[in-house]
């Protein structure tokens, strides 16, 4: 059983929208951060957005104003709403869950990845 399961994504034309979801119910209930990263072909994985344990959100400059991260703690899900997509957003998207369960008890879990393809 995968501890972190992603869904959503797909193909869309430029200017369109997609929504990614990540479910992590199988993980321990601890303080945690939920983040999204992406990796385009031939490029390194890059940060997209993070929601910290206190609910504050941060975004990469390239997606600011277009993407929105949200989290439902009770359901252990985190979403990424992506609007005004362009070809540069084409990549494999990964969610990451970082658990902080106590002193020196930190673990990170990656989702399996979801492809997003934007055609111009």
């Amino acid at each position: 059983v995968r501890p972190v399961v992603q869904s959503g994504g797909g193909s869309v034309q430029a200017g369109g929208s997609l929504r990614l979801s990540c479910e992590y119910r199988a993980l321990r209930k601890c303080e945690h951060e939920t983040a999204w990263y992406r990796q385009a072909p031939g490029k390194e994985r890059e940060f997209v957005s993070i929601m910290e344990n206190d609910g504050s959100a941060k975004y990469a400059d390239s997606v600011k104003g277009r993407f929105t991260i949200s989290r439902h703690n009770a359901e252990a899900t985190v979403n990424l709403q992506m609007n005004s997509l362009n070809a540069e957003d084409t990549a494999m998207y990964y969610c990451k869950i970082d658990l902080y369960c106590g002193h020196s008890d930190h673990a990170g879990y990656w989702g399996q990845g979801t492809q997003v393809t934007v055609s111009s």
Side-chain angles (χ1 to χ4, degrees):
V1 177
R2 289 185 182 274
V4 179
V5 180
Q6 293 181 223
S7 60
S11 298
V12 68
Q13 289 191 328
S17 299
L18 286 172
R19 182 179 177 88
L20 305 181
S21 294
C22 181
E23 179 265 303
Y24 51 98
R25 293 187 193 89
L27 300 182
R28 291 177 291 168
K29 302 299 184 287
C30 304
E31 293 189 352
H32 61 289
E33 297 176 342
T34 51
W36 291 94
Y37 290 77
R38 66 186 181 186
Q39 187 167 19
K43 295 187 177 181
E44 293 187 352
R45 192 171 296 187
E46 65 176 5
F47 166 79
V48 175
S49 179
I50 189 170
M51 180 165 281
E52 298 179 347
N53 186 65
D54 64 2
S56 60
K58 297 178 182 177
Y59 300 91
D61 287 343
S62 59
V63 307
K64 204 171 292 183
R66 300 187 298 121
F67 290 13
T68 302
I69 190 171
S70 61
R71 185 171 70 204
H72 196 301
N73 287 332
E75 295 183 358
T77 57
V78 58
N79 302 306
L80 186 69
Q81 178 65 40
M82 305 182 293
N83 299 328
S84 301
L85 286 161
N86 56 60
E88 287 70 39
D89 296 316
T90 294
M92 185 72 78
Y93 284 70
Y94 299 88
C95 70
K96 187 185 181 196
I97 314 300
D98 280 283
L99 297 183
Y100 300 90
C101 298
H103 182 64
S104 299
D105 186 355
H106 165 241
Y109 300 86
W110 289 94
Q112 79 274 22
T114 303
Q115 180 66 40
V116 170
T117 302
V118 184
S119 57
S120 56

